[in-house]
Amino acid sequence: MQTIDLTETGLRETNKMLHAQAADTNQTVWTIENAKGAHAIACGLNAPIEVTIKGSTGYYCGGMNQQATINIHGSAGPGTGENIMSGKIVIEGDASQYLGATGHGGLIVVKGNASSRCGISMKGVNIVVQGNIGHMSAFMGQSGNLVVCGDAGDALGDSCYEARFFVRGKVKSLGADCEKKEMRPEHIAILTELLAEAGFDAKPEEFTRYGSARKLYNFDVDNAAAY
């Protein structure tokens, strides 16, 4: 296991060492100590390595991640996992706003709560939150799954496309063109797999599915004169 003290090594050199890892690396397990809220830790990784960060992180931790597993032993600042492509990010504490924004793939797990705009413009990422999420979450969500074991704030899924939202608790309000949807067997299967991968024991049958009403973004030739 490789251990880095961020206060001694510095952010630039730390990320440089992580970026140097390739698919066939034998240095697969890394620990970063004394994170102390530093920004942009472990961004742009593209190797099947596991990075454990001791302490809370600042902006954009794990951004643009590919292949790597990133464990944050603390809370995470704004934009964590932004544009994640693959791999996994696990946050032991709470997550700040726009978690997983524009994420194309991979899995983000939050064992606490997530703030506003969680999953904004998500494009294939899966996000599983054990607690609550804030307002405007999954705004313009295009694809992927957002799973919330607690409650959701105002305007969930506003202007969404084909992303799926599963909420076990209450939803304060739905955004434009977002509606309650039928929970079919295939959705139970998706939710069961995501909860298992996140390590949460919630029952899929307790969740409600929400998604696009498909009235906002489709062009209807009969209404051409109104556009």
Side-chain angles (χ1 to χ4, degrees), residues 75-158:
S75 292
T80 297
E82 183 184 44
N83 205 39
I84 181 175
M85 305 300 287
S86 62
K88 184 177 182 179
I89 298 174
V90 180
I91 302 166
E92 297 289 336
D94 297 325
S96 190
Q97 58 188 345
Y98 44 96
L99 173 74
T102 73
H104 285 250
L107 173 67
I108 301 177
V109 177
V110 182
K111 296 186 178 180
N113 302 306
S115 187
S116 60
R117 297 174 176 83
C118 176
I120 185 171
S121 194
M122 55 193 292
K123 296 177 173 68
V125 64
N126 293 317
I127 301 173
V128 185
V129 180
Q130 191 167 28
N132 307 320
I133 61 172
H135 67 272
M136 291 297 292
S137 289
F139 171 64
M140 292 187 68
Q142 295 173 37
S143 63
N145 299 284
L146 172 60
V147 179
V148 184
C149 297
D151 301 331
D154 276 319
L156 173 69
D158 189 277

Side-chain angles (χ1 to χ4, degrees), residues 23-106:
D24 58 351
T25 181
N26 60 0
Q27 296 180 330
T28 58
V29 181
W30 296 73
T31 297
I32 299 174
E33 297 180 340
N34 293 316
K36 296 182 178 179
H39 304 313
I41 301 174
C43 282
L45 304 189
N46 190 10
I49 61 176
E50 182 169 1
V51 180
T52 297
I53 301 170
K54 298 291 186 69
S56 296
T57 59
Y59 288 87
Y60 304 120
C61 178
M64 301 178 290
N65 185 59
Q66 296 186 69
Q67 303 189 65
T69 296
I70 300 171
N71 304 300
I72 301 173
H73 288 192
S75 292
T80 297
E82 183 184 44
N83 205 39
I84 181 175
M85 305 300 287
S86 62
K88 184 177 182 179
I89 298 174
V90 180
I91 302 166
E92 297 289 336
D94 297 325
S96 190
Q97 58 188 345
Y98 44 96
L99 173 74
T102 73
H104 285 250

Side-chain angles (χ1 to χ4, degrees), residues 139-140 157-161 175-178 212-220 227:
F139 171 64
M140 292 187 68
D158 189 277
S159 304
C160 63
Y161 292 77
D177 207 41
C178 185
S212 176
R214 300 175 178 172
K215 296 178 180 178
L216 184 63
Y217 70 88
N218 286 329
F219 177 85
D220 189 334
Y227 292 107

Side-chain angles (χ1 to χ4, degrees), residues 173-203:
S173 69
L174 296 174
D177 207 41
C178 185
E179 65 177 9
K180 181 179 177 180
K181 311 282 276 190
E182 179 186 3
M183 183 75 96
R184 298 193 295 271
E186 61 265 33
H187 304 121
I188 293 289
I190 291 169
L191 186 52
T192 298
E193 183 177 349
L194 288 172
L195 289 168
E197 192 171 358
F200 300 155
D201 60 0
K203 297 178 180 178

